[in-house]
Structures are given as C-alpha cells and as structure tokens.
Amino acid sequence: MNNKSLNIEVFFTFFIGTIFSIWGQSCDLAIAGNINDLHDGSPVYGALIKIENSDIFTQTDERGRYLLQGVCFGDLLLIVEHPQCNSLKRRIFIEADKVIDFELEHHINELDEIIISDDLLKQINLSANESRLDVNKINRFSSKSLADALNSFTGVSSLKTGNSIAKPMIHGMYGSRIGIIVNGIRLRDQEWGADHAPNIDLNAFENVQLIKGASALKYGGDMVGGVIILSPPKIELKDTLIGKTIVNLNQNGRGAFLSSDLRKTYSNGYYLKAQASGKRYGDIEAPNYILSNTGLKEVNFSFKFGRTRIIKGWEVNYSKFKNETGILRSAHIGNIQDLIRALKSKKPLRIEPFTYNIGSPKQQGIHHNIQFTVFNQFNNQAKWQWDYNYQVNQRKEFDIRRGNRSNKAAIDLKLQSHSLIGSLKWRKDISWNYEFGTNGLIQDNFSNPKTGIKRLIPDYLSYQLGSFFTGSYKPNNSFSWDWGFRVDRVTWDVKKYYNTSDWQTRNYQNVFSDFVVQDYGTQILVNPKLNFINWSAQTGIIYILGNHFRSNFSYILSQRSPNASEMFSDGLHHSLATIEYGNLFLNKEISHKFLMSFSRDRGIFKGSFEPYFSNIKDYIFIAPKSLKQTIRGAFPVWEYDSTNVLLWGIDSSIEIRLMNKMSLELNASYIYAHDKINNKPLISIPPFNTFQKFKYKFKNGFDIELSNRYVLSQNRFPNNNFLINSIQDGEITEDIVDISSPPKGYQYLDFSFSFPFNINEGLNTSIRFMIDNLTNTKYRDYLNRMRYYSDEIGLNAKFQLIMSY
Amino acid sequence: MDSLSYIKLSAIILIFSVLSNGCSSDEDQPELIQEEELITTVKLTFKSSDETQIIQWNAEGTNSESIQLKANSIYDVAVEFLDESDPVDIEDITTEVIEEANDHQVFYEFSGVNVTYETSDTDTLDDNQNPLYINSLWNSGEPGSGKVRVYLIHEPTSKSSNDRNGFGGETDIQVDIPLNIN
C-alpha cells in the first residue's frame, strides 16, 4: 500500500510540474502604481485593486503601493475599492507593463492612522488551504444548502439525509469536527446530529471562506476537518440604499425560493440591513418516481444595525431561521425485516401522488441568533473587540406513531448557548502581528419530556472556557510564518435517566457509581460531571517563489472532547432500525495533521496540489456492537467507540483560462482512512471524486457553464453486515442484511446559462437558467443515509432572477 | 480610554449575568419519562372446547413459554397487546389497535408446524371489511414442533397477503413463540 501511494504522489507531482512548465506565455504583464487620498495626497492603505472577471487582485501596502501580476494582454477593467471610499473603475488596454496611479476620496478625515482591520480579502490564517465563495457563487446556490454550495470545492463533500438535509464534510470529517463561523461566532446548533443540517441561510452572507485543516484557533481548537467562515457584506461609509432580490423557480419539487435584502448606509458610519427569505417545495422526484414526503418549508429573517468609524464601532445583529423538512416516508421502518424489504426493493415501498404537504416523519428546526459586537482601535498598534452572542436552537422530530401521536414530537430538544469572545489584536510593526483572546461558552440543553419517548439526548449544562494566542511574521511578500496556541476547558453537568439494565450491562455501575442520584427501579437517574482540557496548536509557513509559485506547509494539533451525542445518545433510529448508545468511557480525540499546498497561478494556468496527512488518536465513531432482542424483533445496537485512525488524502485542482472568455476547471480528491486498531477502513469516507467545469463568456455578458461530477464507488468500507432469520414457506432461512456495500459510482451533468440585462441605471438584473442532473441520471450516493431507500433527485430545471438596486 | 473601560466593565457584567442565569435555570431534576405507546407484552389466549391456554411474551423475553396444541383441532385465538411498564397502571394497547383498524394488521407466520388460521366471528374488521385477526380461528395439523411468529403491522401498504413482505408497512411487533402440536 505504501509503495502504491508513493507512486500516486510521484505521478501527481510530475504531472502538475509538467503542466506548470507548458503554460504561461502571454499573461505575464504587470500593473503597478500608487493610491493616494484625493484631499491630502496621503497614501491609502488596504485598498483593493482587482481585475474584473479574473482572480487577480492585490492590496495597497502602508505606502499606498500596489502590484498586480500575471495580467494578460488586452482590454481589462480595473476596480479599486476601499471601505471608506467610493469605488473606482477604469478600463484600460494593456500591452506592456504599466504604472497607473489612483486618487481615492476619503470620507473620514480624522483618519490618519494605520488601520488594523480584517483586510478585505485577508486569509484568516495565512498558511491554511483556503477556498472562497464570492457573492456571485452564493447567488447561484441561493436556493440550495451550504453543503451543496461548498461541494464544488475539491476535498469537500456532503453527508446527507435525503436531498435537503446536508452537512458539509471536509477531508472526510463532519459535525463537531467542522466549525461554522457566522459573523465571527461559531454556530451552535446541534451539529453533532448526523441528520441535522446547519441552520443557516446562505443568502444573508456575501463571502464564504472554506479553510481545510483546523487553523482558526480563535474560534476553537477542535475543528479537525476545517472551518467554514460566513461573512456579511462589508459596510461602506457613504450615503446609499442598496438592495437585492433573488427569485428562484424549481421544476423539481415544483417550488419557489425568494430572498430579498435592503441595506442603508450613511457617510457618518451608521448602517442598517434587513434580509428575509422563504422557500417552499413539494415532493421532489427521482428519475423514475416521486420521493414521497420530501417537501420543504423555510422562512428566514435577519436584521442588523450599527455604526462603524473604521477604527471603532459597534453592531447589533439578529437572525432567525425556521424550517420544516419532510423525510422520505419509506425510510421510516419498524425493524430489520422492514429494512431488508426496503433493501431488496428497487424503489421506495411507498410512492404517493405529488403533494406540498409535509407529513411525518419530518424535522422542524428553529434557530435564533442575537449578537452584540464592539471594537475599538485605541492606538496605532492595537485593537480590541468583544462579541457576545446568544443562540437558541430548537429541533423537533416527528415519527409515525400510533394513537394520533404523529403530531407529537418524538424528539424535542432546545439548546441555548451564550458565548463571549474578547480579543486583542496587536500590530507590533509591519511584519509582526499578534492576537490574543479568551472566550466563554455556556450551553444548556433541555429535552422536552412531553414527547412520551425516552430522551435521545439528556438535559445538560456544559461550560467551556478557552484562551488563544496567535501570531504571524511576514517580513516580505514572499514569506510568512504563523503560529498559535489554544487551551480549552470543557465541563459537563448532565442529568440522564439510564435504563437500569443498560447501566449495569455497560459496566457503568462499577465505574461511575458516584454519579447515581436516584434509583427508580427500571430507570436510574445519574448526574455525570465530566471535565476535559484540550490543547491545540498550529504553525505554518508560506513561501512564494518567483511571484507565481506558492507553497505552504502547516502542522496542526487539535484536541476535541466527545460531544453530547457521542457520550449520551440513547434511542432508536427509525431510518436504519438501529439502537444507538453513547459511551461514557470516551477520551478526548487527539489529531496531528500535516498539510501541504503547492499552487501556481500565472496567466492562463492556475493549479494546486494539496496533500495532507493525519494521525488521530482516540477517534470517536459509531459502530455496530451486538443484536438486541426486543418485542419488535432483533435490533442491531450501534455504540460510540474510539479507535486510532490514519487518514491521508490529496486535493488537486487545475484551471485553464483562455482569452478571458473560456475557462476549464478540473478538480479531484481522494481520501484514505484506516481504523488501525480494528484494521479496517473507516465508515462514511467520501470515495474518489472529480469535478470538471467548462465556462464560456460571450461579449455581451452571456455566459454558459457546463459541469460534470464523477464519483467512483467507495471500495474501502467496513463490513457491518449481519445475519437475521426470516420465515419463508414455513421454513426459517437466514438473510444477510447488507447495510455496508456502497452504491455504484455515478456521474451527472449540470448546465447553466445566464445573461445580464439592465432595465435602467439603478437596476442591475440578470437571469439564469440552470439544469441540474441534465441527463436525469439515476444514482445513489454512499454519503446519503437515504441510499437504502431511494435514488437521488433527478433532473431539476431552475430559473433564477437576480435584481440588484 | 474612559469609554473603553466602561465597555469592558459592561461586557464583564453581561457575561456574569448570563453565567448566573445559565446556572440557575436547571436546578430541579428532569422529569422521569414513562414511555407512551410502548408495548411490553403480547398475550395469546387459546380456547378450545375443553381448555384455555394463555401464553405471554414480554419485552424482557423472560417468560416465553411454548404453545401446546392438540393435533387436528380448532382453537379460538385472541391476541392482546399490553403496556405493563408500570405494574400499577397496565394499559391495554389492543383498544388503540382496534380504534385504528385501518392502520393496523395482525399476521401470523408458522415454521416447522402446519397451522392455518382464519378470521372469527368476534374479529375486528376495518372500514373495508378486512379482518384484523385480533380474534382468529386456528386449525392445527399433524404433530410436530416449530414456532409461530406474531406480527403487528402499522400502516400496511396492503391488507391481505400470505407473507410478511406483502403487507409492507412498519413492524410494531415481531415475536417468535415456540409451538408444539401433540
């Protein structure tokens, strides 16, 4: 195996190296210049200069200088932006290196100091592997979920339950191993649930950054997989009122999506923004049948107001997310024999006529998020910021129940989180930067007893206190070094009823007898109090060779203590007919990860090659343990356990751009994950997949995109199959329940066609037609929990209208 | 710097008020949940002209006995589903099943022995006159030993079938009880 993997790496290195040397002839020009203030001629620091319709951009340094490289011969539009200024556009023709100076009009006169801010396009962590979704891509995915939108990045997949419940997966990790950062605060929904999608409306944001590898120590040290950072639009200091409305119509699901926002800013720094969106879909359709009970309803709302004077400011932010998602009716089963029947059937066992109604089984989620932020740069070198945030996440799940109880939630959880982050940024000089901070988190989970069903997750309080210290050193434009440390203390105070028999068979009675509060005969109330201390650290360097070739190396140590689900879950899962148990004996997970990235961006060619390697001790996962005889028949018991894992993978991408019109993108990623203790592959690891996109831009703004996703079958999977007896013609026979074999590989095409048209000066409009799964391909995906029951969504024709005013 | 310390102070007050709030909200113990719609016991009553036999299978699986039938005889069989999780308050789930006759189906499957069954006069019928087999007549064949698998099916896709798969739906009850024909 080792030999083979080495060969692959050698091959890739050679392949990419060859391509690097072939391309890059005519796009070798540079534009340089100074940007100064119109009034006093002082240099403007941090202005962004970019070339429209390209990925080329830069920022001015302290002396107002900029340098754009890798510019192609021909006509182009330069855009200069700065948070305190009106942006400038200039169309130029370039045939040789050129010097162009700009003068920007500053709106704040008192500003003669260096600004310590989150630079417009700064990377959260310099040496991390990062990808980004800009506002155009967000618009394009506006009716989809966060996971779908990130799916086009190499190394990212989605873990799904049906079509609309999707969790982003980075380098094979999901849930608590991924941080989702919203407005600078980590999203606290019930991320540990495999069938719980992040409660986020993508449309409230203008920038989504994806950082592979846990390097955002400011937000936590437990994000082994990576971080997704969602940022709202930047506030400009000028008197304007701008807005945007997006209308989406979907043929599949026969539904619509509408999003609208309005932003008012004043030159004195005050601003307010309101945004709302709604979605409604009926049952979606696979190529050959309707997926009954897969409708969706969603309503989101957010507003914020505040004042920014660049060096200091404050903000109040509120958002509400509410949805109701139907879960495929056929996936609600009573026992293993029902599962075998579903596995043997080529299509779902219940197919009903199309409806907008959402019956049981279904999920309802509500998420409120309130946030207060203040920041102040109190001298030329230092800036502090406080963020307080309160989140309420309510999740209800409805099962098919007897005696009119289907309207009564079977799971009803309310998670409240308070968090506070205080941080101090210190810019020692041009090359040394530091940030220090501390944060506290209190979480209170309440599991409503009115369900009449044993709590899946118990009532608990959890406290977390963490401190971080990060720094970076950037002596010049071709080298930087960054590092950071973080320590967290996590405390659990849980009140849980165990079935007395479970408490005894798991050997808890001997080890955890101190936790017992009261014995109620068949049930026993215990109060586990657990403490974890997690250390995390990170360091990395970036080295840029000859302006175009960039390499970075980083090492990340992360420690994650088990989450509520891993320690305490206790209940029956109707979608797989499994009984799921948490494990009180779990230790914290310790991961060492090495990431490398080599990229080249020059002229018509852009490419990256990113291998990574990680070794995880006490990796927590769920695996089948035994069969339990119940009155419903025999049930497999799945229990959380830990093992040591070796995981490595390669993400690579190539983009070729021709004449500013055409581009071809090729992405591929591979992950190898092995359970070293049990000597078998790890479950639910994305198979090898590739993504290709061809884009052509016409003169008049029309553009066409055709993309192809090709996913191989996962041939490395653990065998969790088991035997069960059934009666056939009066004889008892044994049946294999095959829940392990991954589905076949698949491939599908997406097509999109868009064109802008301007009705009048203040209104920019564009229309887009999209067809997902153009050939109506029938396929099932290994990472979709519904793969046992149904095919994925078929052809979906969509119409989108975007209006900016 | 004045405003700075003021804001810092208020932030500290804020976090402490939040902390104290968070801590006090969950003082009392969580409520004990008695599971609803739980079936702990399947009870079968066999009546022939000269005897009555009661067989119980409960959730712990401890007291399953074997059914003893005489060869070539007819038995009146009644099935009951009970929730005995609270011994002081035993609930009869059979009434719920009968009330929702359209959404339920009882089904028996035999292995190793030859037994046939049909609906009886006292059986419950759903809106479409399909028998639920809550009450049934069993016809035993030649001596032998095997088992009967008792099913309660929720929301079956079909109300008549010769095997479990034909009914579709979700299995609420599936228990195996040894059966001897003497």
Side-chain angles (χ1 to χ4, degrees), chain A residues 166-181:
Chain A
K167 290 172 89 72
M169 206 176 195
I170 307 172
H171 288 172
M173 305 280 164
Y174 63 93
S176 298
R177 295 186 183 98
I178 287 189
I180 297 177
I181 316 295

Side-chain angles (χ1 to χ4, degrees), chain A residues 329 335 350 384 401 725, chain B residues 4 30 37 149 155 171 174:
Chain A
R329 176 63 183 83
N335 71 2
R350 275 174 213 270
W384 57 255
R401 299 172 72 176
N725 73 59
Chain B
L4 168 68
E37 63 180 322
R149 188 167 278 187
E155 300 199 0
T171 310
Q174 179 184 330

Side-chain angles (χ1 to χ4, degrees), chain A residues 14 105 111 145 195 206 263 286 305 338 450 677 781 799:
Chain A
F14 176 75
E105 183 169 5
L111 203 87
S145 68
D195 54 357
E206 204 154 80
R263 222 183 312 164
F305 57 90
D338 297 348
K450 302 271 184 299
I677 292 181
D781 187 90
F799 166 81

Side-chain angles (χ1 to χ4, degrees), chain A residues 191-209:
Chain A
E191 72 278 351
W192 31 259
D195 54 357
H196 180 69
N199 289 163
I200 287 223
D201 176 19
L202 203 54
N203 295 287
F205 304 94
E206 204 154 80
N207 193 2
V208 180
Q209 280 164 281

Side-chain angles (χ1 to χ4, degrees), chain A residues 268 323 337 550 571 670 787:
Chain A
N268 60 10
N323 76 351
Q337 224 177 343
R550 186 184 137 113
Y670 175 76
R787 72 171 198 269

Side-chain angles (χ1 to χ4, degrees), chain A residues 153-396:
Chain A
F153 292 132
T154 162
V156 184
S157 331
S158 327
L159 183 75
K160 288 181 152 191
T161 303
N163 182 58
S164 41
I165 302 171
K167 290 172 89 72
M169 206 176 195
I170 307 172
H171 288 172
M173 305 280 164
Y174 63 93
S176 298
R177 295 186 183 98
I178 287 189
I180 297 177
I181 316 295
V182 180
N183 290 327
I185 298 269
R186 203 157 159 188
L187 180 73
R188 302 284 176 182
D189 54 1
Q190 297 163 39
E191 72 278 351
W192 31 259
D195 54 357
H196 180 69
N199 289 163
I200 287 223
D201 176 19
L202 203 54
N203 295 287
F205 304 94
E206 204 154 80
N207 193 2
V208 180
Q209 280 164 281
L210 170 89
I211 304 171
K212 300 174 199 168
S215 49
L217 289 178
K218 182 175 181 178
Y219 307 111
D222 52 352
M223 303 168 292
V224 185
V227 189
I228 296 161
I229 298 173
L230 296 113
S231 320
K234 282 273 172 195
I235 301 301
E236 295 184 352
L237 284 135
K238 54 185 181 187
D239 289 304
T240 53
L241 175 68
I242 48 177
K244 183 173 80 182
T245 297
I246 302 178
V247 182
N248 252 290
L249 301 173
N250 281 20
Q251 155 266 331
N252 201 332
R254 304 179 206 179
F257 161 82
L258 185 78
S259 165
S260 197
D261 72 45
L262 213 51
R263 222 183 312 164
K264 173 83 189 140
T265 56
Y266 298 90
S267 55
N268 60 10
Y270 285 104
Y271 59 91
L272 55 121
K273 185 194 171 204
Q275 182 260 347
S277 68
K279 254 183 224 183
R280 181 80 199 258
Y281 301 120
D283 292 338
I284 56 167
E285 286 165 52
N288 301 327
Y289 43 79
I290 288 175
L291 300 170
S292 286
N293 201 44
T294 51
L296 171 74
K297 271 193 258 186
E298 191 178 303
V299 181
N300 308 306
F301 168 72
S302 69
F303 74 83
K304 67 174 178 184
F305 57 90
R307 184 175 192 195
T308 174
R309 281 177 291 165
I310 308 299
I311 56 161
K312 57 184 173 183
W314 55 271
E315 184 180 292
V316 178
N317 198 326
Y318 168 79
S319 69
K320 182 186 173 180
F321 172 98
K322 186 176 180 219
N323 76 351
E324 184 169 303
T325 314
I327 293 173
L328 186 73
R329 176 63 183 83
S330 300
H332 190 276
I333 54 173
N335 71 2
I336 289 300
Q337 224 177 343
D338 297 348
L339 177 63
I340 294 182
R341 198 174 323 120
L343 291 176
K344 286 186 175 164
S345 168
K346 285 216 157 31
K347 56 181 194 174
L349 292 164
R350 275 174 213 270
I351 297 174
E352 273 139 43
F354 173 88
T355 172
Y356 285 101
N357 291 337
I358 301 171
S360 294
K362 65 179 174 188
Q363 281 186 6
Q364 280 177 358
I366 299 178
H367 191 91
H368 299 274
N369 192 333
I370 301 164
Q371 188 173 333
F372 303 93
T373 302
V374 278
F375 62 91
N376 189 359
Q377 179 181 329
F378 53 93
N379 67 34
N380 276 351
Q381 287 176 299
K383 175 187 172 184
W384 57 255
Q385 175 159 346
W386 284 100
D387 293 281
Y388 164 73
N389 168 279
Y390 172 52
Q391 297 181 48
V392 186
N393 187 272
Q394 261 176 296
R395 176 155 77 120
K396 289 184 184 180

